Amino acid sequence: MASLTTFTDEARIALDTFSGRAAGLFSPSLRLGVTGLSRAGKTVFITSFVHNLIHGGRLPLFEAQKSGRISRAFLEEQPDDAVPRFQYEDHVAALVDQRIWPDSTRAISELRLTIEFESASGWNRMFSAGKLSVDLVDYPGEWLLDLPLLGKSYDDFSREAFELARLPVRADLSEAWRELAATVKPEADADEMTARRLFESFAAYLKACKDDERALSTLPPGRFLMPGDLEGSPALTFAPLAGLAQRARPGSLHAMMERRYEAYKTHVVKPFFREHIARLDRQIVLIDAMQALNAGPGAIADLERAVTEILACFRPGRGNLLTDLFSRRIDRILVAATKADHLHHESHDRLQSIVRRLTDRAVARANLSGAEVDVLALAAVRATREGTVKQGRETLPVIIGTPIEGETIGKERFDGSIETAIFPGDLPEKADVVFQDFGTNHRQDANDPTIRFVRFRPPRLERTAEGVTLSLPHIRLDRALQFLIGDHLA
């Protein structure tokens, strides 16, 4: 990304980094970015991350917790006063008291969790205070997918947008927008109403791509889906144009769209990169591979494309004592497939294998040399438990939970109150099967007994004999914690 920023941008990043390093000289901190595409579970992950550390959750593979070296974990004021606070308490209340999933991430937010611990090394105990502040930075993955726009001209953006829109998995959804764009001449005089109609049609196509049935992931510009306080501004009122064979004539629609596209990069994308992404030390990327698997090979192909572009946005590598004063590099990235609790544990490794295959290809294209990348299938909050049922002479492994109201399997529709045992099916033993026929628009048939994914309500939390509520249950959260922060607690 360095080639996509100016010297002034880099100078500001260096100054911000130096200020942050100086402030944290006697109070070590780690900035952990948490991102993922819509409904991948970012809010749930951060909430469970904090809840399990504060309440001493069951984390057998998190070494510092397992060995009893963590004395306490607690929330402190975050260092960035201009960034909204991640409303941890509200999200816990939604999960525990109401048994509903918290609202999705709509904007950037931050939370500081401080961990007091005893180092495993006698040498470190002599020179370290045994205290680490983890600044959890939550931001929409859709915004991250805007960063590649910094290296693309408006003409490049337009050409790629039409190429994607013609793919079989998108063609019907983009048809109305493409037909409207075909009636517009780029060299015509700039007109606000024409620009608005094109934007609204293009944005409607992007939103349709995001629906469960298609579950597509590569949908820039990200603010078209989550505009925030920029809604209605000229910087968010543009769209790709077809047939751009020459330079824009001053005063033309082409010139208007190009100017607004550049304004979007200047006022939206660059500040986001400079103020947030360039300040991260580590990163977890959450993906809802299950939703993509439900939607078919076209959605899997699009998810791989999105992961590639996301990984290419980071600044990977390891610095040294001098360079770390002025620049941050992400030295560890975890790509995590969420909602593993929607499958029996026999399929967890298969889900992880599918995501590893997808990630390996994305890493090769994104050139992440210098960063350690790992892959994990997890459930930050486990909404189901496992059991078996007999069907004739066959014993089937099932998951047991309360499906969210409105979820369906075949002709059965759930009301959100009845606990149900579901045989989710098995993922293929070989990941290659999932990556076949990328060019098709095949979707898993809802009546196909091979695989069934439904969404469940959060679980009822267990209580001790003394009435104390236990920590949020999970699958492999401890492995994620060990990879992301374990070495800083050694």
Side-chain angles (χ1 to χ4, degrees):
M1 296 298 299
S3 62
L4 307 184
T5 54
T6 65
F7 177 81
T8 302
D9 294 329
E10 293 299 320
R12 293 180 65 178
I13 290 170
L15 182 60
D16 290 344
T17 301
F18 182 76
S19 300
R21 297 295 196 200
L25 189 60
F26 300 102
S27 180
S29 65
L30 180 75
R31 290 185 68 83
L32 173 60
V34 181
T35 195
L37 300 172
S38 180
R39 290 183 289 188
K42 299 178 292 295
T43 302
V44 174
F45 175 83
I46 294 176
T47 303
S48 185
F49 182 111
V50 174
H51 194 269
N52 272 278
L53 286 174
I54 288 178
H55 293 275
R58 300 166 184 164
L59 304 166
L61 297 181
F62 183 40
E63 198 279 329
Q65 179 88 326
K66 176 185 176 182
S67 59
R69 294 189 294 103
I70 294 180
S71 56
R72 67 168 180 151
F74 55 96
L75 295 176
E76 287 193 293
E77 286 190 21
Q78 66 196 57
D80 301 306
D81 292 333
V83 177
R85 182 180 183 272
F86 180 88
Q87 298 301 331
Y88 165 75
E89 295 81 4
D90 294 344
H91 300 321
V92 169
L95 286 167
V96 176
D97 299 334
Q98 303 174 57
R99 291 185 64 208
I100 60 174
W101 298 108
D103 291 337
S104 298
T105 298
R106 306 295 297 178
I108 197 160
S109 64
E110 186 178 332
L111 190 70
R112 168 166 281 196
L113 175 73
T114 296
I115 303 169
E116 292 181 349
F117 66 100
E118 181 181 6
S119 175
S121 164
W123 180 263
N124 287 344
R125 286 197 295 270
M126 290 177 60
F127 297 98
S128 171
K131 184 177 179 180
L132 175 70
S133 293
V134 181
D135 295 321
L136 296 145
V137 183
D138 176 30
Y139 60 94
E142 285 81 359
W143 293 9
L144 195 62
L145 286 171
D146 279 347
L147 294 185
L149 298 180
L150 293 176
K152 298 175 183 176
S153 67
Y154 173 72
D155 290 14
D156 294 334
F157 161 68
S158 293
R159 184 183 67 256
E160 292 180 11
F162 279 100
E163 288 173 355
L164 279 176
R166 295 187 190 100
L167 292 176
V169 73
R170 296 169 178 251
D172 58 328
L173 301 180
S174 66
E175 185 176 6
W177 163 62
R178 287 186 290 116
E179 288 181 350
L180 176 62
T183 66
V184 173
K185 294 182 178 180
E187 66 273 15
D189 290 343
D191 177 71
E192 187 64 44
M193 294 309 297
T194 300
R196 182 176 170 183
R197 286 197 304 272
L198 285 167
F199 157 74
E200 290 174 348
S201 183
F202 181 63
Y205 145 63
L206 295 181
K207 290 173 183 175
C209 288
K210 189 179 174 184
D211 288 345
D212 285 350
E213 185 176 352
R214 297 297 168 89
L216 298 177
S217 306
T218 311
L219 304 171
R223 293 294 181 105
F224 282 20
L225 299 173
M226 298 179 180
D229 57 0
L230 291 173
E231 186 169 11
S233 66
L236 255 68
T237 311
F238 66 91
L241 291 174
L244 301 179
Q246 56 188 8
R247 293 186 61 182
R249 175 181 64 82
S252 66
L253 182 64
H254 183 182
M256 170 195 269
M257 295 293 198
E258 186 174 55
R259 184 181 67 254
R260 293 182 176 187
Y261 170 79
E262 293 298 330
Y264 182 82
K265 293 197 296 182
T266 299
H267 299 296
V268 177
V269 185
K270 277 192 176 184
F272 172 63
F273 174 73
R274 184 182 63 244
E275 297 167 13
H276 302 293
I277 303 305
R279 297 175 61 202
L280 296 177
D281 298 305
R282 297 214 168 147
Q283 177 70 49
I284 180 169
V285 179
L286 302 170
I287 60 175
D288 187 354
M290 310 271 260
Q291 188 183 42
L293 286 167
N294 251 0
I300 291 290
D302 199 71
L303 178 60
E304 181 179 343
R305 184 184 300 111
V307 170
T308 301
E309 295 201 359
I310 285 174
L311 295 181
C313 294
F314 300 129
R315 290 184 161 182
R318 298 179 183 273
N320 55 47
L321 188 60
L322 180 61
T323 59
D324 281 350
L325 287 174
F326 300 98
S327 68
R328 292 179 186 259
R329 296 280 173 177
I330 295 179
D331 60 353
R332 291 192 180 186
I333 300 172
L334 180 63
V335 180
T338 58
K339 305 176 186 176
D341 57 330
H342 289 44
L343 292 167
H344 194 270
H345 75 270
E346 294 174 353
S347 284
H348 291 173
D349 286 343
R350 296 180 184 182
L351 175 61
Q352 190 163 298
S353 177
I354 291 169
V355 176
R356 183 172 296 280
R357 165 75 182 277
L358 181 151
T359 302
D360 284 347
R361 292 168 24 149
V363 166
R365 295 170 185 164
N367 188 22
L368 287 177
S369 58
E372 185 178 352
V373 181
D374 201 3
V375 173
L376 190 63
L378 62 76
V381 172
R382 182 171 190 163
T384 66
R385 64 185 191 277
E386 295 185 353
T388 58
V389 298
K390 282 198 171 184
Q391 192 173 73
R393 296 182 178 181
E394 190 176 8
T395 299
L396 298 176
V398 297
I399 54 174
I400 303 167
T402 306
I404 291 174
E405 182 179 2
E407 288 291 291
T408 61
I409 291 181
K411 296 181 180 180
E412 185 176 5
R413 184 181 179 88
F414 299 102
D415 63 6
S417 63
I418 304 300
E419 190 172 71
T420 305
I422 295 173
F423 173 60
D426 297 316
L427 292 176
E429 292 185 18
K430 295 184 178 181
D432 290 353
V433 175
V434 174
F435 293 87
Q436 293 174 357
D437 301 322
F438 266 6
T440 70
N441 191 24
H442 169 72
R443 184 180 187 277
Q444 182 74 36
D445 191 318
N447 296 309
D448 188 337
T450 304
I451 197 165
R452 298 184 180 95
F453 296 144
V454 298
R455 291 171 292 183
F456 294 90
R457 293 184 65 189
R460 287 189 175 87
L461 287 198
E462 299 176 23
R463 295 179 181 270
T464 64
E466 294 77 22
V468 177
T469 301
L470 300 179
S471 57
L472 290 163
H474 63 85
I475 296 173
R476 297 177 175 175
L477 177 65
D478 48 348
R479 286 179 56 182
L481 289 171
Q482 182 62 29
F483 180 79
L484 291 168
I485 66 173
D487 59 321
H488 282 262
L489 303 175

